[in-house]
Amino acid sequence: SHLGDCPICCLPLPIDNDKSTLWSCCSKKICNGCNYANQRREWKESLEKKCPFCRHPLPNLKEEIRKNYMKRIQEEADKNFMKRIEVDD
């Protein structure tokens, strides 16, 4: 799809946003199938809940989620700024 592929199963992400999840820790969009498989594995093995892609522990508070998103936005802005500097040289 125009949204790209799930980075875990490599299948096209569904157009319906309710069928995939954007993770704040790594800014990866994961299909609900891979998300479900990860949750089921964690439940069966009594594991700590983690991101299915980067395995970062899930944030407990909405404030942590917001900070993760802002960190990713700032990193992307810094990358774009550096690219512009390289082009201007």
Side-chain angles (χ1 to χ4, degrees):
S1 76
H2 69 282
L3 298 174
D5 298 333
C6 172
I8 296 174
C9 66
C10 299
L11 292 174
L13 287 168
I15 294 173
D16 183 355
N17 282 328
D18 291 337
K19 296 183 180 178
S20 60
T21 303
L22 178 65
W23 293 87
S24 67
C25 47
C26 58
S27 295
K28 298 289 184 187
K29 198 166 202 177
I30 310 295
C31 72
N32 282 356
C34 290
N35 188 31
Y36 174 75
N38 183 59
Q39 288 176 342
R40 185 177 166 138
R41 181 186 60 82
E42 290 171 342
W43 179 77
K44 277 186 167 186
E45 298 175 21
S46 300
L47 300 172
E48 177 185 14
K49 293 185 183 339
K50 294 185 177 184
C51 171
F53 184 76
C54 71
R55 301 289 183 213
H56 190 272
L58 296 183
N60 295 325
L61 304 171
K62 286 186 179 186
E63 182 61 25
E64 288 179 67
I65 294 170
R66 190 188 72 74
K67 283 180 183 179
N68 284 341
Y69 282 134
M70 293 308 295
K71 178 181 170 188
R72 297 289 173 214
I73 290 168
Q74 186 60 49
E75 287 173 358
E76 198 60 34
D78 291 345
K79 279 190 229 175
N80 290 336
F81 178 74
M82 293 307 292
K83 284 179 186 176
R84 275 190 256 134
I85 289 175
E86 291 170 2
V87 171
D88 291 342
D89 286 345

